[in-house]
Amino acid sequence: MKVTRILYRGSLSSCNYACGYCPFAKTTNTREELDRDRDQLQRFVDWAADCRQPLGVMITPWGEAIIHRYYRNAMIDLSRMDHVHRIAIQTNLSGYLGDLEDALVDRIAIWATFHPGETDLPRFLDRCATLQRLSIRFSVGVVGFQEHFDEIAELRKRLPGDVYLWVNVPKSSGIDYSDEELRFLSSIDPYFRWNLRRWPSLGAACQTGHTSFTVDGEGDARRCHFVDDVIGNIYRDDIWSLLKPTACPNSTCGCHIGYVHREDFGLDQLYGENLLERIPLTWPKIDFPMTDEPTSIPLTPLRPIR
Ligand code: SF4
Ligand code: SF4
């Protein structure tokens, strides 16, 4: 069965955290803006209910979404649609989670990011424990700033072993790791090297625009969050007839939610049906080819075992 993956990003643009590198740090939306975002999300949920195509949906908000009850309600509703195989969301995990118990747990998943300085480890681990109590699958991630290495190590130590901890590299900050730092980060996240650089991508075969696309609050669909061209509008067009394989038009791609769709990377074999929530299929068993020495990370990723 072919599941189309949709990344939804509405007009929300606010967050309760204050991460220094983020444009949404400590921003707020007005009541009117939140009402608009809620109406947009409901329209998308209604469209998803009617479309009857096998779907996987990932909410990738600007800012923090799940703190708003209407996002939790939308996830619950989507999880209860027979043709929606996955509903996942990116979150800082700061908000109330209890009502997600009404979701179908085999369909819902969470991409949670730990932000040292914005919350503390006990509080974050408590939220992870809540997800476990609810039997909701989740991955945890951190941004690999050197000043957070102690907390990252402690987080790995205290997270249950069956929870995958990924590391994103703050590439735009021009970070440059020493060999020792690379080894440390690879020990935390054995798949970290995929995120270490922006990959040359112009002309690369990429599933976005074919088996995956993004939708904004107005229903405009784009192949991915990094290419502005609009494919069509899910509310006005027969979007399914507009999806087709096309090569990447960008010179590079450096974000997980983009490059996982590269056909030559084969990362669908690493994540399988858990690709949206970034949980390796076999975690904690590692059976994807890796380099032993992080400094020898090749420019072109290794081919996966087929
Ligand atoms: S939690 Fe995420 S959205 Fe909020 S300020 Fe931090 S990085 Fe930005
Ligand atoms: S490789 Fe990245 S930037 Fe290019 S089309 Fe795919 S997701 Fe978009």
Side-chain angles (χ1 to χ4, degrees):
M1 178 193 12
K2 192 180 128 202
V3 176
T4 303
R5 296 181 175 117
I6 300 178
L7 274 58
Y8 177 83
R9 179 178 286 161
S11 59
L12 185 86
S13 59
S14 54
C15 185
N16 54 335
Y17 278 10
C19 306
Y21 56 89
C22 177
F24 306 103
K26 285 290 179 201
T27 46
T28 54
N29 285 120
T30 64
R31 185 69 259 165
E32 291 71 28
E33 288 167 339
L34 290 176
D35 287 348
R36 176 169 169 253
D37 182 55
R38 186 198 58 226
D39 292 347
Q40 289 175 337
L41 181 61
Q42 188 57 51
R43 190 179 186 195
F44 174 74
V45 171
D46 293 343
W47 173 85
D50 287 344
C51 85
R52 295 285 151 202
Q53 296 276 345
L55 297 180
V57 178
M58 170 81 159
I59 298 172
T60 56
W62 292 133
E64 177 62 21
I66 203 174
I67 53 174
H68 302 288
R69 181 189 295 232
Y70 59 88
Y71 272 95
R72 300 194 299 276
N73 287 343
M75 294 183 72
I76 293 165
D77 290 347
L78 285 163
S79 81
R80 294 187 161 277
M81 296 175 193
D82 285 344
H83 59 293
V84 175
H85 295 254
R86 186 71 85 243
I87 168 65
I89 191 167
Q90 294 175 324
T91 171
N92 61 27
L93 218 55
S94 61
Y96 176 68
L97 300 167
D99 43 17
L100 293 182
E101 69 183 357
D102 293 332
L104 291 190
V105 292
D106 55 340
R107 308 238 180 99
I108 194 168
I110 300 280
W111 157 311
T113 308
F114 174 56
H115 298 279
E118 299 305 306
T119 187
D120 55 39
L121 203 45
R123 202 175 314 167
F124 185 80
L125 290 168
D126 184 60
R127 313 319 303 268
C128 294
T130 298
L131 290 176
Q132 290 196 299
R133 266 198 308 280
L134 296 172
S135 301
I136 293 176
R137 294 173 318 99
F138 62 102
S139 67
V140 170
V142 289
V143 182
F145 288 114
Q146 283 117 330
E147 61 267 32
H148 294 156
F149 277 14
D150 287 348
E151 280 145 305
I152 292 172
E154 189 64 17
L155 175 61
R156 180 60 281 173
K157 208 161 84 187
R158 294 173 62 179
L159 268 179
D162 62 352
V163 174
Y164 172 53
L165 174 58
W166 46 263
V167 178
N168 269 357
V169 177
K171 294 175 276 291
S172 56
S173 70
I175 203 158
D176 191 17
Y177 296 120
S178 67
D179 288 356
E180 190 184 341
E181 289 168 340
L182 286 169
R183 266 188 289 275
F184 166 71
L185 291 172
S186 294
S187 75
I188 297 292
D189 175 5
Y191 307 116
F192 145 82
R193 68 187 175 91
W194 299 93
N195 200 266
L196 190 53
R197 58 169 57 92
R198 295 192 61 83
W199 301 100
S201 61
L202 184 64
C206 176
Q207 282 287 312
T208 60
H210 185 209
T211 64
S212 165
F213 62 93
T214 70
V215 173
D216 69 17
E218 298 301 321
D220 283 342
R222 297 171 175 82
R223 63 179 303 159
C224 67
H225 283 317
F226 318 105
V227 174
D228 284 339
D229 300 341
V230 175
I231 299 170
N233 185 285
I234 61 169
Y235 306 129
R236 290 194 297 271
D237 303 317
D238 174 15
I239 195 68
W240 309 105
S241 68
L242 300 172
L243 301 175
K244 58 179 188 300
T246 44
C248 174
N250 284 5
S251 57
T252 61
C253 183
C255 190
H256 174 91
I257 57 174
Y259 62 67
V260 285
H261 299 103
R262 283 272 297 262
E263 291 183 12
D264 53 342
F265 282 21
L267 290 174
D268 54 328
Q269 294 180 58
L270 172 59
Y271 297 102
E273 61 189 18
N274 304 333
L275 183 131
L276 289 174
E277 60 269 29
R278 201 170 178 172
I279 300 177
L281 271 180
T282 60
W283 187 262
K285 181 171 167 284
I286 298 166
D287 63 357
F288 209 64
M290 305 303 305
T291 52
D292 293 332
E293 179 53 61
T295 51
S296 69
I297 291 168
L299 185 62
T300 303
L302 296 172
R303 298 285 302 181
I305 298 167
R306 294 190 184 273

